[in-house]
């Protein structure tokens, strides 16, 4: 042990510094400071004792222990693209029909660029704090309230995604079964009721998968899910040239006196009562923020610049795919496009459409347990009940699945899911949370002061989006409800 003079001045003690990280020396020349400025030599025997020497700023930076990643850049691009891709792609043609081609392209481009910027803010916050888990990042910066807000936003986003997936089952499975049975589309037996089918699929297929202790192997379905959506895009493009739009004529007592209806003419800018759903739908389609930090943590030789490249490539690829799906879906059905594009295609005597339906149905069914597992794990983490308990595991699973099925049964259409999630959790995850975390972490000094101004404007944009979109969505609901009562 190193011996110190008993008359060591307090000012000398104050000038002594603690190690800057956990990689302190392994020899025994370590000491701790005790009350009244006295020194007591002490051998630090474990890592936790060494950690106690660090100051509060350092502890904030050591949120998670560094673990090298093993995933290549290319595979990370694939994983992030799959995280971005989801059921939102089915509602983009509907969004385009209610905004027009030009306005939709502006909105899609804007959300793409803003999403990339928000991920940049998120990566900076992760680098500054060392946190690789979104909830931990929120807790590190804002304490328990931050953890709760991020838990709520990510859970609502995942629940919204599960609802949209089960809505696909509700809409598409009846048509597929009718085709396989050789029945007409008007056939309406109880066993082809979408509500009954979605409950049956949930408790016969999804429930057993959700009850497993570990769902890691279901990650292999992500590749299949992405392949199904690529196949869906190819079919949408092909069907545009096969399905002819039939223009309608009014006052057609004779062709000479008929008035041409421009229902088959593309619109470039459109405003109507459904336009309000366009931005939330696009925002919902681009949310992948809960997956960014896990993908970042697994990136080989990771760096902020390398992960930013992954996000740029992924978002550009999804931008192209989203726009092509929306434009070809719109140019096939124009104003008659459905909020669930796949539901608009008739599968009667069309094996290609039936194949797409079945592929998408299987893909979303296998994806639901993965999202469910995330929500349930976050719930247990929040309740600090991480130790596995079979009874609690089964009970929580049943309650959540019953709740989700009730929502699927009573929600009228997918546009309502996209609208609610888009103006709430998607807005929080894209705009408000990354900018708030950045403004809390980054100081106002020098060049970073300018970056804080941009982050502040970004936060203001998210708040403005909420203030404008939420009342409009509520107003549209009220109008829809009054129209339903009128009928």
């Amino acid at each position: 042990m190193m011996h110190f003079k008993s008359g060591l001045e307090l000012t000398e003690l104050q000038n002594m510094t603690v190690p800057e990280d956990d990689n302190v020396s392994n020899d025994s020349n370590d000491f701790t400071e005790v009350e009244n400025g006295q020194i007591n030599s002490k051998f630090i025997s474990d890592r936790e004792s060494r950690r106690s020497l660090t100051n509060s700023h350092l502890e904030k930076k050591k949120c998670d222990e560094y673990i090298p990643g093993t995933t290549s850049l290319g595979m990370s691009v694939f994983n992030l693209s799959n995280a971005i891709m989801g059921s939102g792609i089915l509602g983009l043609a509907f969004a385009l029909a209610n905004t027009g081609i030009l306005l939709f392209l502006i909105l899609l481009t804007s959300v793409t660029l803003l999403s990339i910027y928000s991920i940049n803010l998120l990566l900076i916050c992760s680098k500054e704090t060392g946190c690789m888990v979104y909830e931990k990042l929120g807790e590190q910066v804002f304490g328990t309230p931050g953890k709760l807000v991020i838990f709520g936003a990510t859970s609502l986003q995942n629940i919204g995604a599960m609802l949209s997936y089960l809505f696909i089952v509700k809409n598409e499975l009846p048509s597929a079964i009718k085709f396989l049975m050789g029945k007409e589309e008007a056939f309406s037996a109880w066993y082809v009721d979408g509500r009954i089918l979605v409950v049956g699929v949930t408790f016969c297929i999804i429930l057993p998968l959700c009850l497993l202790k570990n769902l890691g192997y279901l990650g292999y379905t992500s590749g299949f899910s992405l392949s199904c959506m690529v196949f869906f895009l190819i079919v949408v493009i092909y069907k545009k040239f096969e399905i002819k739009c039939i223009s309608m004529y009014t006052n057609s007592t004779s062709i000479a006196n008929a008035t041409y209806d421009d229902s088959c003419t593309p619109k470039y800018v459109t405003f109507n009562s459904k336009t309000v759903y366009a931005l939330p739908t696009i925002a919902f389609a681009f949310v992948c923020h809960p997956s960014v930090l896990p993908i970042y943590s697994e990136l080989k030789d990771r760096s902020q610049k390398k992960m930013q490249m992954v996000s740029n490539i992924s978002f550009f690829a999804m931008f192209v795919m989203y726009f092509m799906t929306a434009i070809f879906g719109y140019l096939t059905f124009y104003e008659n496009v459905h909020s669930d594009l796949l539901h608009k295609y008739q599968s009667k005597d069309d094996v290609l459409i039936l194949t797409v339906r079945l592929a998408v149905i299987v893909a979303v069914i296998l994806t639901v347990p993965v999202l469910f597992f995330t929500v349930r794990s976050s719930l247990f983490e929040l309740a600090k009940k991480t130790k596995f308990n079979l009874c609690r595991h089964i009970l929580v699973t049943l309650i959540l699945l019953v709740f989700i099925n009730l929502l699927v049964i009573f929600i009228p259409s997918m546009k309502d899911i996209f609208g609610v999630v888009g103006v709430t959790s998607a807005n929080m995850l894209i705009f408000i949370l990354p900018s708030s975390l950045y403004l809390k972490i980054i100081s106002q000094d020098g060049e970073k002061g300018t970056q804080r101004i941009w982050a502040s404007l970004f936060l203001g944009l998210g708040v403005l989006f909420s203030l404008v979109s939420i009342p409009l969505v509520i107003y549209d609901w009220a109008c829809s409800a009054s129209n339903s009562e009128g009928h």
Side-chain angles (χ1 to χ4, degrees):
M1 285 288 185
M2 180 182 293
H3 296 282
F4 293 91
K5 294 181 180 180
S6 59
L8 190 62
E9 295 293 333
L10 180 59
T11 56
E12 294 178 298
L13 294 178
Q14 291 172 337
N15 290 331
M16 300 178 68
T17 58
V18 296
E20 288 299 319
D21 54 32
D22 289 337
N23 298 323
V24 294
S25 172
N26 285 328
D27 61 24
S28 59
N29 296 331
D30 298 313
F31 55 89
T32 55
E33 183 178 350
V34 294
E35 293 181 359
N36 300 323
Q38 299 296 319
I39 288 296
N40 179 25
S41 299
K42 181 178 180 181
F43 176 73
I44 303 179
S45 58
D46 57 42
R47 185 184 183 90
E48 292 302 317
S49 297
R50 295 174 187 268
R51 190 180 297 273
S52 70
L53 288 175
T54 59
N55 55 36
S56 59
H57 176 69
L58 181 60
E59 287 178 359
K60 189 175 182 179
K61 295 187 109 179
K62 295 296 178 182
C63 179
D64 291 325
E65 185 177 350
Y66 179 83
I67 300 175
T70 58
T71 307
S72 66
L73 186 142
M75 187 56 66
S76 297
V77 169
F78 177 81
N79 289 336
L80 186 58
S81 298
N82 188 64
I84 299 170
M85 176 65 66
S87 57
I89 193 174
L90 300 179
L92 292 177
F94 179 78
L96 191 153
N98 292 288
T99 57
I101 296 173
L102 182 60
L103 183 56
F104 176 82
L105 181 59
I106 293 172
L107 291 175
L108 188 70
T109 303
S110 300
V111 173
T112 303
L113 296 176
L114 292 173
S115 297
I116 292 173
Y117 177 67
S118 70
I119 288 179
N120 178 54
L121 295 180
L122 191 59
L123 293 175
I124 292 174
C125 294
S126 175
K127 180 181 178 181
E128 291 292 324
T129 60
C131 292
M132 291 292 174
V133 178
Y134 212 161
E135 286 84 358
K136 282 188 178 181
L137 177 58
E139 185 176 25
Q140 228 14 47
V141 179
F142 290 111
T144 302
K147 181 179 181 180
L148 291 174
V149 170
I150 290 179
F151 164 78
T154 55
S155 296
L156 181 58
Q157 175 66 30
N158 286 329
I159 289 175
M162 284 190 284
L163 288 175
S164 64
Y165 289 152
L166 291 177
F167 219 97
I168 293 172
V169 175
K170 176 184 172 182
N171 284 341
E172 307 304 330
L173 191 55
S175 298
I177 292 177
K178 290 174 188 177
F179 180 84
L180 293 173
M181 294 176 61
K183 302 291 185 179
E184 297 291 331
E185 192 66 29
F187 182 69
S188 59
W190 65 269
Y191 50 83
V192 291
D193 187 324
R195 295 168 297 180
I196 295 176
L197 287 173
V198 77
V199 173
V201 166
T202 298
F203 290 96
C204 293
I205 301 176
I206 296 175
L207 175 61
L209 294 175
C210 291
L211 288 176
L212 296 175
K213 186 177 180 180
N214 191 334
L215 291 175
Y217 75 94
L218 286 177
Y220 291 107
T221 62
S222 63
F224 176 68
S225 178
L226 190 58
S227 300
C228 289
M229 292 306 180
V230 173
F231 178 44
F232 169 65
L233 170 59
I234 294 172
V235 172
V236 168
I237 296 173
Y238 171 74
K239 286 295 179 180
K240 160 65 185 81
F241 300 100
E242 184 181 76
I243 300 175
K244 303 299 181 183
C245 180
I246 302 176
S247 298
M248 303 299 294
Y249 289 85
T250 57
N251 302 322
S252 54
T253 52
S254 67
I255 295 180
N257 296 325
T259 302
Y260 179 70
D261 183 0
D262 63 350
S263 58
C264 289
T265 302
K267 309 293 193 305
Y268 291 93
V269 178
T270 301
F271 291 101
N272 55 44
S273 62
K274 304 302 178 187
T275 302
V276 65
Y277 288 97
L279 191 55
T281 300
I282 296 172
F284 178 86
F286 275 108
V287 173
C288 61
H289 295 60
S291 302
V292 169
L293 294 183
I295 292 173
Y296 181 34
S297 67
E298 295 173 1
L299 180 62
K300 186 177 181 180
D301 300 325
R302 64 175 175 264
S303 66
Q304 181 186 334
K305 183 178 180 180
K306 194 172 183 180
M307 186 60 196
Q308 192 64 53
M309 184 187 300
V310 169
S311 67
N312 293 347
I313 296 172
S314 301
F315 273 91
F316 175 75
M318 290 303 102
F319 169 84
V320 172
M321 190 166 180
Y322 280 167
F323 182 69
M324 291 184 68
T325 302
I327 192 68
F328 280 98
Y330 170 68
L331 293 177
T332 303
F333 302 108
Y334 294 91
E335 296 177 359
N336 295 317
V337 69
H338 197 271
S339 60
D340 175 1
L341 177 59
L342 185 59
H343 190 59
K344 191 65 181 176
Y345 295 96
Q346 298 299 318
S347 60
K348 182 181 179 181
D349 301 326
D350 194 330
V351 178
L352 182 61
I353 292 296
L354 176 66
T355 305
V356 173
R357 287 182 189 275
L358 291 176
V360 173
I361 289 170
V362 172
V364 300
I365 288 175
L366 295 178
T367 305
V368 168
V370 179
L371 297 174
F372 185 90
F373 185 80
T374 303
V375 173
R376 185 180 57 200
S377 299
S378 297
L379 190 62
F380 286 152
E381 182 70 30
L382 189 68
K384 300 188 184 302
K385 302 290 184 181
T386 54
K387 187 176 180 180
F388 183 78
N389 180 286
L390 182 60
C391 293
R392 181 172 62 235
H393 185 81
I394 295 175
L395 181 62
V396 172
T397 300
L398 288 172
I399 292 174
L400 286 176
L401 284 178
V402 169
F403 173 70
I404 290 171
N405 271 259
L406 288 174
L407 291 177
V408 172
I409 290 171
F410 291 106
I411 290 176
S413 67
M414 285 182 70
K415 75 175 178 62
D416 296 299
I417 299 173
F418 297 150
V420 173
V421 178
V423 300
T424 53
S425 66
N427 183 41
M428 289 289 293
L429 292 170
I430 292 177
F431 294 99
I432 296 177
L433 287 174
S435 54
S436 298
L437 292 168
Y438 181 88
L439 291 171
K440 182 71 173 178
I441 293 171
I442 303 301
S443 65
Q444 304 183 34
D445 301 330
E447 181 185 350
K448 292 182 179 178
T450 304
Q451 296 173 357
R452 282 176 57 88
I453 294 175
W454 286 110
S456 300
L457 292 174
F458 191 66
L459 175 61
L461 183 62
V463 173
L464 179 63
F465 173 56
S466 296
L467 293 177
V468 173
S469 298
I470 293 177
L472 289 175
V473 170
I474 294 174
Y475 174 75
D476 182 71
W477 284 352
C479 292
S480 300
S482 62
N483 291 336
S484 299
E485 291 176 1
H487 290 299

